[in-house]
C-alpha cells in the first residue's frame, strides 16, 4: 500500500514542482499571517507582520529545508546539477574539448584492448554449459613433451572406465581433397569419433552425425559437411544429403550438415569418422575433448583418468611415462595469447592513467580561475558537499560523453587492427562485438576515470576560502604555490608512467628484433614451398610415390630460375613428428633420466642445399643412400649428437628403431640446429632419413630459386598438373613468408606497446607544456615587474629550466626503476634480451628527456620574449 | 529549547500527539505542542514544516486547505489510519526507552 501511495507523490515531486512550490509558498505565508494575528498586543499591522517575519526566519530557507526532505530530492538535485554542468561546459569549449579528447583517447585504447581480453577469455564458448568442456591430452616430461597428443587405445580405455565425465571424444585435423563434378578443392578437414556432437551438445542442422558402426575401420564411407561449405559449394540445398563426393580419392556419402557454430577444432569445413581400432593403433596424435559431469573438478577428473591410465601399464608400457592431462577448453584455443594480452592490458591502463593525470592537472589549473564563483556560492550558503557534488557532476558528464565516444572509437580501431592481422589465426567463435555486459564495463571505466581525475581538483576548489574568492586579484600566493606543487607532482607522475611504457616498449621491440636477426639454421630467402598429398588409393605402393617425387623434382629442376629442388616430410615450422631411437654406444642413461623425443624428417638428396642448411661435419645424402637395406644412413642435428654422444664425434655411430627389428643406421653427417618449432621455441634433437628409405604419400616440396620465388608458382602448378591432374598445390608460400607469419603475434603486441608509449609521450608533452605555461603565466606579473626593474630574462629561463630538469629527472628515475620492476612481469616474453639491457632504458631516457625539455622551455622562451609593459597591462 | 536538539523521532511523536484529537494547521500544531509540553518544546517552522511534509509523504498525515478561526486560508493536517497506528507504535517505543534510561540512571 505504501508503494502505491508513494509513486504518485514522487511523480508530483519531480514533475509538478511549480505547483508544489506555490502551495508551500502559500502555506508559509499563511503561517506568517496567522503568526502576525497572534500578536494582539501590537497595534500596527505592519509592525505585527515584521515581528512575525523575524520570529519565523527566512521563508526561502524554510522552503529549501522542506525541499530537502522531499522524496526524489537527490534525483532532482542531480538533474539540476547536470543542467548547470552542461551549460558551464558549453561555455568553456576549450577546456571541455581538451578534456573530452583526452578521455576519448584514453578510453578508446582501453576499450580496444579490454574488448580483446573479453572476447578471448570471458565470453562463453558457443556451446551449452561450455564451462564443463575440457581439452584432454597427455604429457610425458621424460620425453620432454608437455603435450604428446592422445593415443587411441588410451582414449578407448578412458572412455569406458572413467567416472568423472559425461562424454568424451577425440578429433584430429586432416586435410581433405574434395573432388566431384564441380571440380577439386582443398578443404580443412577433421576426423572425429561418433560421440563428438554429444560432448558439444549440438544437433546437426540437417541429417545426422556418425553412428558407432561408422566409426570402425572399414566402416561405411560417410561424411558430414560444415555449414559454410554447404552454403558455398552446395548452394544450401537440402538435397545435399545422400550426395556422393570424393575425398582424397575415396567416395563418401554426405549424411549431415552441421550448424554454423561448430567450426571446431579450427575452422574445420568437413568431417569424417575417425574409424580406428584400439587394438591396432599406436602412436600419440589425437586431440581429446570431453564434458565433465556437473560439479566435477578438473583436478579430480585428471586423477580419475590417471587411475584408468596406469591400469593399462601391463599391456601398454608407455603409460608409465605418459599421463593424462585435462585443461579448460578455452586454454587450448587461446592460451598462448594470454601473456601478450596481459602486457597490452597493462600498457593501456598506464595510458589511461596518464590521460587522467592530464585531466586532473587541467581541472586543477582551471579550478583556480573559478575561486570567485565558488566564493560566491559559499557565501550564499551552499554547503561544501553541494559545491563538490556540482563540480563532480561536470566531471561525470564529461566522463559519460568521453566514455561513449571513446568506446565507439575503440571498437573502430580494433576492427581496423584486426583487419591488418593475418587471417584465420583466431578460432571462429571468437567475436569482439559489443555486448551489454561489456558496454556496462566501459561506462564504468570512463566514469571511474572522470571521477578519479576530477575528485582532487573538485575537492580543493570546494575548499576555497570565501574571502579569498571574493577579493580582487585572486587567491593568495601561498595557495598558488600549493597548487603549483600539486601540478608538478602530477607531471612527475606522468613522466614516470610514460617512462615505464617507453622502457617496456623498448625491451619488447629489442626482443622482437633479436629474434628476427637470429640464426635459425637455414636460409629463408628465395625458397618456395608447397605441400602435396598423394591419395593412398591411387598410390598405394611406396615405389609409386617415390617415382612420382623423383619425376616431379626432375621437372622442377629443369625450370629456368631454379637452382635446387627437394622434398621433405615437413619443412621447418611445418609441424612435429616425434619418434625415439635406440642409440649405439651412447652415454649411459639411468632409468628415469629424461629421454627427449626426437624430431624425424625424411628428405630427398639436395634438401640441405635447397633449404640452405649448414653442414657441420660429414656429408649430406646422395641418391644412393637408402636405396638398399645396407645403405641406410642418417643425418642428425647438433642437439642430437650432444645429447647422446657429448664430447665425441657422432659420425659413424649408429641408431635404429627401438623395437630392435630394424637394421642399424649409420650417421654420416651432422647439421646445424634448425629452429623447427618457431624462432622463440627451443630446439629438439632431430634425425633426417633419406627419402628412399622412409618417404610417404604426404610431403612438402622445397625449391630454391634465383629469381623471385612466387613468379614461378604457375610453373610449379603446371608441372604438378601434368603429372597428375587430380592433384593441386596445397598452401604455396615462401619460407621467408612463413617465418614472417610465425612472428605475427609478437610483432603485433610489441608494436602496439610502442604505439601506446608514443601516445603516452604525446600526452606527457602536452601536459608538461600546459603546466609550465600555466605556472609561468601565473607569475607573469611578478616577473614583468622584475624585468621592468632591470632583471635579466635569463633568470626566468634558468628557473624554468631548473624546474623542468628537476621534474623530468625525478620522473625518469622513478619511472626507470618501475620499468625495470615491471619488466619482470613479462619476462617470459623477453627472449634474447635481458630485462636490464641498457639500450631500452637509455632510449627511454633520451626520448623522455628531450621532449620534456622542449615542452618546458618553449613556453618559458615565449613568455620571456613578452614586453614587460604589455605583460603588466594584460592583467 | 533550541531546534537542533529536538530529535527527529521525538518531533514526529509530538506532532502525532498534537493531531490525535483532530486536525490543525501548522501554527496550531506548534502551539499545541508548546502547550502540552508546558513550554519545553517550541517548534520553529524551520523544523516543523520539513517534518510535516516528510510525515505526509510517509502516509501518516493528509493535508488540505481550509479556513482558520480567524477566517484565514490555511493548510490543515490530520492523522490517517496509518498515522494513528504509527502513533501507538511510537508511544510504546518511547515509553520503553524512557523506562530503560530511568533504570540506567537509577542504577548505582
Amino acid at each position: 500500500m505504501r508503494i502505491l501511495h508513494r509513486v504518485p507523490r514522487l511523480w508530483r515531486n519531480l514533475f509538478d514542482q511549480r505547483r508544489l512550490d506555490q502551495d508551500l509558498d502559500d502555506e508559509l505565508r499563511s503561517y506568517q499571517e496567522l503568526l502576525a494575528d497572534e500578536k494582539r498586543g501590537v497595534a500596527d499591522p505592519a509592525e505585527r507582520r515584521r515581528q512575525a517575519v523575524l520570529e519565523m526566519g527566512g521563508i526561502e530557507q524554510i522552503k529549501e529545508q522542506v525541499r530537502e526532505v522531499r522524496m526524489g530530492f537527490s534525483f532532482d538535485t542531480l538533474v539540476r546539477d547536470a543542467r548547470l554542468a552542461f551549460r558551464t561546459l558549453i561555455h568553456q569549449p576549450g577546456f571541455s574539448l581538451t578534456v573530452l579528447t583526452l578521455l576519448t583517447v584514453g578510453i578508446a585504447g582501453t576499450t580496444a584492448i579490454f574488448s580483446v581480453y573479453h572476447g578471448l577469455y570471458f565470453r562463453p564458448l558457443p556451446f551449452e554449459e561450455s564451462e564443463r568442456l575440457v581439452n584432454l591430452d597427455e604429457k610425458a616430461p621424460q620425453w620432454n613433451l608437455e603435450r604428446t597428443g592422445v593415443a587411441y587405445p588410451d582414449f578407448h580405455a578412458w572412455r569406458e572406465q572413467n567416472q568423472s565425465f559425461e562424454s568424451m571424444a577425440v578429433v584430429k585435423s586432416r586435410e581433405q581433397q574434395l573432388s566431384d563434378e564441380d571440380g577439386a578443392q582443398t578443404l580443412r578437414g577433421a576426423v572425429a569419433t561418433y560421440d563428438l556432437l554429444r560432448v558439444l551438445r549440438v544437433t546437426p542442422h540437417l541429417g545426422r552425425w556418425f553412428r558407432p558402426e561408422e566409426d570402425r575401420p572399414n566402416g561405411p564411407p560417410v561424411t558430414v559437411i560444415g555449414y559454410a561449405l554447404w552454403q558455398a559449394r552446395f548452394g544450401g540445398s537440402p538435397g545435399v544429403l545422400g550426395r556422393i563426393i570424393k575425398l582424397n580419392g575415396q567416395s563418401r556419402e554426405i549424411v549431415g550438415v552441421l550448424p554454423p557454430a561448430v567450426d571446431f577444432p579450427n575452422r574445420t569445413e568437413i568431417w569424417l569418422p575417425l574409424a580406428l581400432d584400439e587394438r591396432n593403433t599406436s602412436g600419440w596424435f589425437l586431440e581429446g575433448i570431453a564434458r565433465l559431469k556437473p560439479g566435477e573438478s578438473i583436478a579430480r577428473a585428471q586423477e580419475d583418468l590417471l587411475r584408468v591410465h596406469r591400469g593399462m601399464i601391463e599391456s601398454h608400457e608407455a603409460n608409465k611415462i605418459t599421463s593424462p592431462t585435462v585443461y579448460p577448453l578455452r586454454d587450448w584455443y587461446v592460451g598462448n595469447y594470454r601473456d601478450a594480452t596481459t602486457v597490452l592490458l597493462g600498457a593501456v591502463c598506464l595510458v589511461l592513467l596518464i590521460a587522467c593525470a592530464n585531466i586532473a592537472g587541467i581541472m586543477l589549473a582551471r579550478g583556480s580561475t573559478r575561486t570567485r564563483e565558488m566564493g560566491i556560492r559559499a557565501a550564499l550558503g551552499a554547503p561544501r558537499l553541494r559545491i563538490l557534488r556540482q563540480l563532480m557532476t561536470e566531471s561525470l558528464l564529461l566522463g559519460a560523453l568521453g566514455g561513449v565516444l571513446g568506446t565507439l572509437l575503440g571498437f573502430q580501431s580494433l576492427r581496423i587492427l584486426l583487419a591488418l592481422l593475418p587471417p584465420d589465426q583466431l578460432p571462429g567463435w571468437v567475436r569482439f562485438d559489443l555486448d551489454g555486459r561489456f558496454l556496462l564495463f566501459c561506462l564504468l571505466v570512463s566514469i571511474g576515470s572522470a571521477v578519479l581525475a576530477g575528485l582532487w581538483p573538485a575537492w580543493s576548489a570546494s575548499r576555497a576560502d570565501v574571502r579569498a574568492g571574493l577579493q580582487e586579484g585572486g587567491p593568495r600566493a601561498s595557495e598558488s604555490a600549493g597548487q603549483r606543487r600539486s601540478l608538478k607532482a602530477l607531471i612527475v607522475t606522468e613522466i614516470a608512467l610514460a617512462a615505464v611504457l617507453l622502457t617496456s616498449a623498448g625491451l619488447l621491440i629489442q626482443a622482437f628484433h633479436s629474434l628476427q636477426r637470429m640464426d635459425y639454421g637455414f636460409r629463408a630467402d628465395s625458397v618456395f614451398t608447397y605441400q602435396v598429398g598423394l591419395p593412398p588409393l591411387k598410390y598405394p605402393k611406396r615405389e609409386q610415390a617415390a617415382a612420382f617425387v623423383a619425376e616431379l623434382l626432375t621437372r622442377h629442376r629443369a625450370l629456368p630460375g631454379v637452382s635446387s629442388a627437394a622434398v621433405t616430410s615437413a619443412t621447418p615450422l611445418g609441424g612435429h613428428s616425434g619418434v625415439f631411437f635406440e642409440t649405439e654406444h651412447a652415454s649411459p642413461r639411468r632409468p628415469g633420466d629424461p629421454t627427449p623425443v626426437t624430431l624425424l624428417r625424411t628428405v630427398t638428396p639436395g634438401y640441405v642445399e635447397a633449404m640452405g642448411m649448414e653442414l657441420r661435419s660429414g656429408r649430406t645424402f646422395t641418391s644412393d643412400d637408402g636405396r638398399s637395406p645396407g645403405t641406410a644412413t642418417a643425418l642428425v642435428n647438433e642437439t642430437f649428437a650432444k645429447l647422446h654422444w657429448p664430447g665425441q664425434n657422432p659420425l659413424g655411430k649408429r641408431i635404429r628403431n627401438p623395437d630392435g627389428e630394424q637394421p642399424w643406421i649409420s650417421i654420416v653427417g651432422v647439421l646445424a640446429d634448425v629452429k623447427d618449432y618457431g624462432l622463440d621455441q627451443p630446439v629438439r634433437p632431430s634425425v633426417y632419413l633419406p627419402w628412399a628409405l622412409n618417404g610417404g604419400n604426404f610431403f612438402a616440396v622445397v625449391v630454391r630459386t634465383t629469381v623471385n620465388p612466387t613468379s614461378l608458382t604457375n610453373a610449379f602448378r603446371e608441372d604438378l598438373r601434368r603429372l597428375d591432374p587430380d592433384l593441386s598445390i596445397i598452401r604455396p608460400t615462401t619460407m621467408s613468408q612463413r617465418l614472417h607469419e610465425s612472428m605475427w603475434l609478437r610483432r603485433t603486441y610489441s608494436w602496439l606497446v610502442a604505439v601506446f608509449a608514443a601516445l603516452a609521450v604525446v600526452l606527457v608533452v602536452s601536459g608538461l607544456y600546459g603546466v609550465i605555461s600555466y605556472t609561468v603565466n601565473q607569475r607573469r606579473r611578478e616577473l614583468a615587474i622584475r624585468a621592468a626593474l632591470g632583471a635579466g630574462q635569463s633568470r626566468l629561463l634558468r628557473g624554468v629550466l631548473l624546474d623542468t630538469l628537476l621534474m623530468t629527472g625525478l620522473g625518469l628515475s622513478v619511472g626507470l626503476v618501475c620499468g625495470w620492476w615491471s619488466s619482470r612481469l613479462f619476462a617470459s616474453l623477453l627472449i634474447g634480451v635481458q630485462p636490464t639491457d641498457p639500450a631500452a632504458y637509455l632510449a627511454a631516457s633520451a626520448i623522455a628527456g628531450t621532449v620534456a625539455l622542449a615542452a618546458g622551455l618553449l613556453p618559458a622562451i615565449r613568455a620571456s620574449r613578452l614586453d614587460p609593459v604589455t605583460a603588466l597591462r594584460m592583467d | 529549547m533550541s531546534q537542533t536538539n529536538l530529535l527527529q523521532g521525538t518531533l514526529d511523536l509530538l506532532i502525532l500527539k498534537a493531531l490525535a484529537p483532530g486536525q490543525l494547521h501548522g501554527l496550531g500544531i506548534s502551539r499545541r505542542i508548546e502547550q502540552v509540553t508546558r513550554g519545553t518544546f517550541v517548534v520553529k517552522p524551520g523544523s516543523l514544516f520539513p517534518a510535516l511534509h516528510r510525515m505526509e509523504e510517509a502516509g501518516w498525515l493528509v493535508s488540505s486547505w481550509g479556513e482558520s478561526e480567524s477566517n484565514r486560508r490555511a493548510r490543515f493536517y490530520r492523522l490517517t489510519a496509518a498515522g494513528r497506528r504509527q502513533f501507538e507504535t511510537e508511544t510504546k517505543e518511547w515509553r520503553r526507552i524512557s523506562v530503560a534510561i530511568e533504570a540506567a540512571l537509577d542504577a548505582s
Side-chain angles (χ1 to χ4, degrees), chain A residues 2 5-6 9 12-13 22-24 26-28 30-31 33-39 49 54-57 62 65-66 69-71, chain B residues 3 25-27 30-31 43-54 56-60 65 68-70 72-75 77:
Chain A
R2 290 270 295 268
H5 178 75
R6 284 171 106 85
R9 266 218 98 93
R12 218 174 35 181
N13 286 358
Q22 189 58 47
D23 270 358
L24 185 56
D26 288 348
E27 186 177 357
L28 288 172
S30 110
Y31 183 96
E33 286 174 4
L34 288 169
L35 194 55
D37 282 350
E38 274 186 354
K39 304 199 180 306
R49 188 159 298 141
L54 276 177
E55 197 179 310
M56 217 179 124
I62 299 178
Q65 278 166 306
V66 171
V69 300
R70 276 207 192 124
M71 258 192 299
Chain B
Q3 289 178 23
H25 55 61
L27 185 57
S30 184
R31 293 291 174 242
V43 188
K44 288 289 177 130
S47 316
L48 180 68
F49 283 101
L52 286 176
H53 280 83
R54 186 173 30 81
E56 186 176 2
E57 287 204 342
W60 302 335
W65 286 105
S68 74
E69 319 82 37
S70 44
R72 290 244 191 239
R73 190 162 175 265
R75 201 160 177 98
Y77 292 86

Side-chain angles (χ1 to χ4, degrees), chain A residues 176-503:
Chain A
Q176 302 294 323
Q177 297 259 51
L178 164 66
S179 56
D180 64 3
E181 48 283 6
D182 298 325
Q185 189 182 355
T186 310
L187 296 172
R188 274 191 288 265
V191 287
T193 52
Y194 65 87
D195 34 11
L196 179 64
L197 288 201
R198 193 156 71 98
V199 171
L200 297 176
R201 293 234 191 117
V202 164
T203 50
H205 183 79
L206 265 188
R208 61 172 178 85
W209 182 248
F210 308 131
R211 300 200 187 101
E213 58 267 20
E214 287 160 348
D215 190 15
R216 301 230 119 264
N218 303 317
V222 292
T223 177
V224 170
I225 61 177
Y227 194 85
L229 181 65
W230 179 50
Q231 294 289 336
R233 193 173 173 114
F234 299 101
S237 110
V240 74
L241 294 183
R243 251 177 90 154
I244 309 282
I245 54 175
K246 249 192 184 180
L247 292 170
N248 287 355
Q250 189 192 24
S251 298
R252 287 180 176 270
E253 180 192 346
I254 299 179
V255 296
V257 178
L258 289 183
V262 185
D263 65 353
F264 183 97
N266 200 6
R267 300 179 181 273
T268 303
E269 300 168 282
I270 191 165
W271 302 86
L272 279 70
L274 182 60
L276 288 179
D277 186 350
E278 70 276 7
R279 295 159 301 186
N280 218 351
T281 310
S282 62
W284 295 261
F285 53 92
L286 297 167
E287 289 157 5
I289 174 174
R291 183 177 285 276
L292 290 168
K293 286 196 178 136
E296 195 64 53
S297 77
I298 284 188
R300 270 209 307 267
Q302 195 163 302
E303 273 173 35
D304 183 36
L305 287 184
L306 189 61
R307 171 185 60 82
V308 176
H309 197 76
R310 295 279 189 251
M312 296 166 63
I313 286 185
E314 253 187 56
S315 45
H316 295 83
E317 239 189 63
N319 284 21
K320 265 191 299 202
I321 302 180
T322 59
S323 52
T325 52
V326 179
Y327 302 106
L329 192 61
R330 187 189 293 274
D331 276 5
W332 178 35
Y333 276 120
V334 292
N336 51 332
Y337 298 126
R338 215 177 260 274
D339 279 344
T341 320
T342 315
V343 164
L344 287 175
L345 270 179
V348 90
C349 283
L350 288 180
V351 170
L352 187 60
L353 276 176
I354 296 180
C356 288
N358 257 3
I359 296 175
I362 294 180
M363 285 188 167
L364 260 184
R366 181 168 155 273
S368 69
T369 65
R370 294 177 77 186
T371 47
R372 179 169 302 189
E373 174 194 344
M374 296 304 141
I376 292 176
R377 282 185 191 226
L380 281 180
R384 195 165 128 218
L385 201 61
R386 186 77 199 273
I387 297 182
L388 185 66
R389 206 165 57 184
Q390 203 267 311
L391 288 173
M392 288 309 297
T393 312
E394 288 176 24
S395 303
L396 281 172
L397 211 58
L398 282 173
L401 195 55
V404 167
L405 289 175
T407 308
L408 287 174
L409 180 62
F411 269 100
Q412 273 312 104
S413 318
L414 183 63
R415 203 153 287 168
I416 296 177
L417 177 67
L418 287 175
L420 291 174
L421 294 180
D424 297 345
Q425 293 291 344
L426 295 171
W429 51 263
V430 170
R431 301 240 178 288
F432 297 126
D433 302 337
L434 286 167
D435 76 351
R437 202 167 56 165
F438 186 65
L439 267 179
L440 194 63
F441 169 79
C442 289
L443 195 65
L444 281 175
V445 166
S446 29
I447 294 198
S449 317
V451 166
L452 179 71
L455 192 58
W456 175 23
W459 187 77
S460 87
S462 67
R463 215 171 34 139
D465 186 358
V466 174
R467 227 173 30 124
L470 289 177
Q471 75 191 21
E472 291 292 318
R476 291 192 305 271
S478 63
E479 270 185 29
S480 303
Q483 195 182 65
R484 279 206 295 275
R485 267 202 304 274
S486 313
L487 287 173
K488 285 189 193 166
L490 276 176
I491 291 295
V492 167
T493 315
E494 285 189 36
I495 295 183
L497 291 174
V500 170
L501 272 174
L502 280 169
T503 53

Side-chain angles (χ1 to χ4, degrees), chain A residues 77 96 147 159 235 266 294-295 307 333 383 393 455 476 535 566 626 660 688 701 708 763 786 819 842:
Chain A
T77 323
S96 310
R147 278 177 174 273
R159 184 167 58 179
N266 200 6
R307 171 185 60 82
Y333 276 120
T393 312
L455 192 58
R476 291 192 305 271
Y688 299 80
V701 178
N708 180 1
L763 287 176
R786 287 201 197 180
L842 282 175

Side-chain angles (χ1 to χ4, degrees), chain A residues 829-843:
Chain A
L829 297 176
L830 295 176
I831 309 224
V833 74
Q834 288 284 60
T836 49
D837 194 301
Y841 297 90
L842 282 175

